[in-house]
């Protein structure tokens, strides 16, 4: 997986995956390998829970006729992802306050597609970068699939996004998330 899923393939996969999700499908099997001596290996790129989260985000954005799906949409729906919500709760986030703030921000700032126009939702470049960053993180650790926790960590790379602003408002930093993931260290011990 790490040897054959290079940056170019990763970028193409993210573009393909976002197109597939935006159309309501959930196909995320990636086949890697070369045509000669390497055995073809099947790798599941996104965990089932992350796939469900991404599908939900696209479906809800489609219902609201949003023109774009953003990092803020991603964070909003990660609040219902078991991996990401566990980390956020353990780091002291108020999920209800996050959900309310993100919902208001998205509804007030995301352009809507007019009713008489049929168009697919477009993922923003920052949305695509977050997914690429999460894939790279997983590649570097040698794990077989991307989870909500990887995507949550990757969101912090978009420093100018409102998603990071909302996380910072909850006093959640990238180091808090990484500490919890790597060592199980929470700022609020049980």
């Amino acid at each position: 997986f790490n040897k054959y899923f290079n940056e170019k393939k990763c970028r193409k996969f993210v573009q393909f995956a976002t197109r597939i999700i935006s159309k309501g499908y959930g196909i995320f099997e990636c086949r890697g390998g070369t045509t000669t001596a390497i055995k073809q290996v099947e790798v599941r790129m996104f965990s089932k829970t992350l796939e469900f989260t991404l599908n939900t985000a696209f479906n809800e954005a489609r219902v609201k006729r949003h023109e774009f799906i953003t990092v803020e949409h991603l964070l909003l729906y990660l609040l219902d992802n078991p991996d990401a919500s566990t980390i956020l709760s353990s780091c002291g986030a108020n999920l209800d306050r996050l959900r309310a703030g993100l919902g208001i921000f998205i509804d007030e700032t995301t352009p809507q597609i007019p009713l008489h126009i049929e168009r697919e939702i477009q993922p923003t470049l920052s949305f695509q970068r977050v997914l690429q960053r999460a894939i790279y993180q997983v590649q570097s650790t040698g794990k077989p699939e991307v989870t909500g926790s990887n995507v949550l960590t990757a969101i912090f790379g978009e420093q100018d996004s409102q998603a990071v602003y909302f996380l910072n408002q909850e006093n959640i930093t990238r180091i808090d998330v990484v500490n919890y993931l790597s060592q199980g260290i929470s700022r609020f011990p049980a």
Side-chain angles (χ1 to χ4, degrees):
F1 173 64
N2 289 341
K3 294 177 185 174
Y4 306 111
F5 209 75
N6 62 26
E7 184 175 341
K8 184 177 179 183
K9 287 181 183 176
C10 178
R11 191 175 312 115
K12 285 186 177 189
F13 177 78
V14 169
Q15 290 168 349
F16 166 76
T18 53
R19 272 197 323 270
I20 293 298
I21 295 170
S22 72
K23 294 181 181 177
Y25 298 105
I27 303 168
F28 293 105
E29 299 296 326
C30 178
R31 299 186 186 276
T34 65
T35 55
T36 56
I38 306 297
K39 180 182 176 189
Q40 194 161 2
V41 180
E42 192 171 302
V43 177
R44 183 163 188 83
M45 183 54 64
F46 295 137
S47 68
K48 287 188 182 286
T49 57
L50 179 58
E51 186 177 320
F52 180 78
T53 298
L54 293 171
N55 279 318
T56 303
F58 269 96
N59 288 337
E60 290 297 318
R62 186 179 303 109
V63 166
K64 292 183 177 186
R65 300 197 56 80
H66 289 165
E67 188 172 353
F68 303 106
I69 187 160
T70 65
V71 177
E72 291 74 29
H73 284 89
L74 190 53
L75 178 58
L76 177 62
Y77 291 98
L78 280 174
L79 297 177
D80 295 320
N81 180 283
D83 299 319
S85 64
T86 299
I87 293 168
L88 289 169
S89 295
S90 297
C91 291
N94 181 327
L95 299 184
D96 292 332
R97 187 170 47 221
L98 263 174
R99 187 174 285 110
L102 285 163
I104 291 168
F105 174 79
I106 290 168
D107 288 342
E108 289 180 355
T109 62
T110 306
Q112 290 188 322
I113 300 170
L115 290 173
H116 63 280
I117 296 175
E118 285 302 317
R119 184 182 324 159
E120 288 299 321
I121 300 166
Q122 296 299 311
T124 61
L125 291 176
S126 57
F127 179 94
Q128 292 181 41
R129 282 192 305 265
V130 167
L131 292 182
Q132 287 175 342
R133 203 174 295 120
I135 291 169
Y136 295 151
Q137 288 172 3
V138 168
Q139 284 180 320
S140 69
T141 61
K143 293 182 180 173
E145 61 187 14
V146 179
T147 65
S149 57
N150 302 118
V151 175
L152 178 61
T153 305
I155 285 174
F156 285 97
E158 297 299 318
Q159 285 296 312
D160 294 332
S161 71
Q162 286 296 120
V164 173
Y165 170 80
F166 279 108
L167 289 169
N168 289 336
Q169 289 295 106
E170 293 294 321
N171 293 315
I172 306 295
T173 64
R174 184 179 186 281
I175 196 73
D176 294 329
V177 173
V178 170
N179 280 340
Y180 185 82
L181 281 173
S182 63
Q183 301 170 24
I185 296 173
S186 172
R187 288 192 304 169
F188 302 96

